[in-house]
Amino acid sequence: QSLEVLEHLGHRGAAGSDPLTGDGAGITVQMPHEFFVAESKKLNFILPDKGLYAVAMCFLPNDNDINSKIKKIIEKTASENGLKIITWRNVPINPSEIGKSAKSLMPRIEQLIVQSTKNSSGDDFERSLYLTRKTCENQVKRINSNEDLKDIINREFYICSWSSRTIIYKGMLLVDQLRKFYPDLSNKNFNSAFGLVHSRFSTNTLGSWKLAHPYRMLAHNGEINTV
């Protein structure tokens, strides 16, 4: 139902010279526990009980060396913040469903699944995940040793969400492309009691993968132009 709502927002989304490349569309949902249980059996990893694990939805650089450096930073920072790495999961995608411009800027999309070594849950767990994400972002900025590398990281690295409660699927997509681009969203085990959706129309910045909405806690409809 949430995806249907999103697909009816096509009138307010934007596309440029490439009619198949959008400014961005996405959805925030509850952590689909049944889905990840099924994935754990398929990919052969042990998944903790609901609420005791978290998933980081990551946009990562396509360059193998830079990708490896960033993933090592994420793993090291997670460990330092009391998180145990369970597995990395390559998110299934259908690039043939999106425009040429979006495809040329598309990052690698992977999920990192972690659990707390302190058996924390709820707000305590979320707090540690927040601190880990912010530290990762700051550490990654420090490897910007030249302008080319800086451009790649700014364009392709972004942690869309890292939570035990919610997860975000988004991208430089049109509203009807989200469902087709991410097969996860059509999986029968992928369930949520809510969906926060948005279609972006940028007025003063170019579209990009990381600027697509929703953001981690919200989606906003327009700019704030009043005092």
Side-chain angles (χ1 to χ4, degrees), residues 136-181:
C136 285
E137 291 167 351
N138 289 329
Q139 293 285 347
V140 169
K141 287 178 184 177
R142 294 178 184 175
I143 65 173
N144 292 1
S145 56
N146 59 60
E147 286 303 312
D148 289 340
L149 182 57
K150 182 178 179 180
D151 287 344
I152 290 172
I153 291 174
N154 283 341
R155 183 174 65 247
E156 298 182 1
F157 170 67
Y158 185 74
I159 300 175
C160 303
S161 60
W162 197 345
S163 173
S164 63
R165 295 167 170 162
T166 59
I167 189 167
I168 295 174
Y169 282 73
K170 69 177 189 175
M172 200 170 168
L173 309 167
L174 295 170
V175 292
D176 61 344
Q177 293 173 341
L178 186 70
R179 187 196 302 258
K180 301 171 187 175
F181 182 74

Side-chain angles (χ1 to χ4, degrees), residues 9-225:
L9 290 176
H11 63 283
R12 76 166 307 278
S17 57
D18 176 2
L20 295 179
T21 291
D23 268 353
I27 185 170
T28 301
V29 293
Q30 279 180 310
M31 187 63 65
H33 180 62
E34 292 79 8
F35 170 79
F36 281 108
V37 168
E39 286 298 294
S40 70
K41 294 174 182 175
K42 185 168 72 174
L43 301 175
N44 195 28
F45 64 86
I46 298 173
L47 189 74
D49 291 338
K50 187 175 182 179
L52 298 180
Y53 68 93
V55 180
M57 183 72 164
C58 301
F59 291 163
L60 298 167
N62 290 292
D63 181 276
N64 288 331
D65 290 338
I66 305 173
N67 185 297
S68 179
K69 284 181 181 178
I70 289 179
K71 287 172 81 169
K72 285 178 181 176
I73 288 173
I74 294 173
E75 291 176 0
K76 182 175 183 291
T77 306
S79 178
E80 290 171 348
N81 282 274
L83 301 175
K84 177 186 175 183
I85 307 299
I86 297 176
T87 191
W88 284 93
R89 174 181 181 259
N90 290 316
V91 178
I93 56 172
N94 288 322
S96 61
E97 296 291 342
I98 64 177
K100 292 180 180 178
S101 297
K103 200 181 302 181
S104 69
L105 298 170
M106 184 178 69
R108 286 191 198 175
I109 306 173
E110 298 185 47
Q111 291 168 341
L112 175 63
I113 306 175
V114 300
Q115 68 182 100
S116 172
T117 58
K118 303 172 184 176
N119 294 318
S120 61
S121 61
D123 289 346
D124 288 339
F125 193 17
E126 290 296 306
R127 191 175 295 110
S128 66
L129 295 167
Y130 172 80
L131 292 172
T132 303
R133 176 176 62 79
K134 294 299 288 184
T135 304
C136 285
E137 291 167 351
N138 289 329
Q139 293 285 347
V140 169
K141 287 178 184 177
R142 294 178 184 175
I143 65 173
N144 292 1
S145 56
N146 59 60
E147 286 303 312
D148 289 340
L149 182 57
K150 182 178 179 180
D151 287 344
I152 290 172
I153 291 174
N154 283 341
R155 183 174 65 247
E156 298 182 1
F157 170 67
Y158 185 74
I159 300 175
C160 303
S161 60
W162 197 345
S163 173
S164 63
R165 295 167 170 162
T166 59
I167 189 167
I168 295 174
Y169 282 73
K170 69 177 189 175
M172 200 170 168
L173 309 167
L174 295 170
V175 292
D176 61 344
Q177 293 173 341
L178 186 70
R179 187 196 302 258
K180 301 171 187 175
F181 182 74
Y182 288 115
D184 285 359
L185 298 176
S186 298
N187 189 293
K188 64 180 181 180
N189 294 313
F190 200 102
N191 299 304
S192 176
F194 73 89
L196 176 66
V197 296
H198 190 56
S199 174
R200 183 173 188 264
F201 189 109
S202 61
T203 55
N204 56 7
T205 55
L206 294 174
S208 72
W209 282 80
K210 70 180 183 180
L211 290 180
H213 287 245
Y215 291 145
R216 298 178 188 103
M217 298 295 290
L218 55 80
H220 68 81
N221 185 27
E223 301 168 9
I224 300 169
N225 292 322

